[in-house]
Amino acid sequence: MRHYRWILEVQDDDGRWSQRDGASMSNPLAMSNPLEYDGPPQQVANHLRDVFVRTLSGPAPGPRAVRVGVREEGEPGSGGAQAESEWSRE
């Protein structure tokens, strides 16, 4: 089982983005949310996106957009998410 960290960003109807704990996709150290998942980074990002969209869409209308970034723990990198997935109701 692989270990990942993820960050969720949500856009409201006024176009403002908010992140969990003020983190951002460009700062992988801020990705403090652990997750175990048996799959590659893009599959993890897509799965989390689908879960968050279903969860946050009720009651309607929910967020205007959702963006999820993931990074596998222990992966060297120059920063940022290893994989990202987005959804928008527009």
Side-chain angles (χ1 to χ4, degrees), residues 4-80:
Y4 292 94
R5 299 285 179 176
W6 58 267
I7 187 74
L8 169 67
E9 295 181 319
V10 178
Q11 186 181 44
D12 63 21
D13 284 331
D14 294 326
R16 293 181 303 244
W17 285 94
S18 60
Q19 302 92 17
R20 180 179 175 93
D21 299 330
S24 69
M25 298 285 183
S26 62
N27 184 359
L29 298 176
M31 293 183 180
S32 60
N33 303 303
L35 173 70
E36 286 187 2
Y37 194 92
D38 190 20
Q42 191 61 55
Q43 184 178 356
V44 175
N46 292 344
H47 172 78
L48 286 173
R49 177 205 61 212
D50 293 345
V51 168
F52 287 130
V53 167
R54 281 193 309 270
T55 302
L56 297 172
S57 292
R64 179 188 217 175
V66 170
R67 184 166 46 209
V68 176
V70 298
R71 174 166 288 285
E72 189 168 3
E73 287 185 349
E75 275 296 308
S78 59

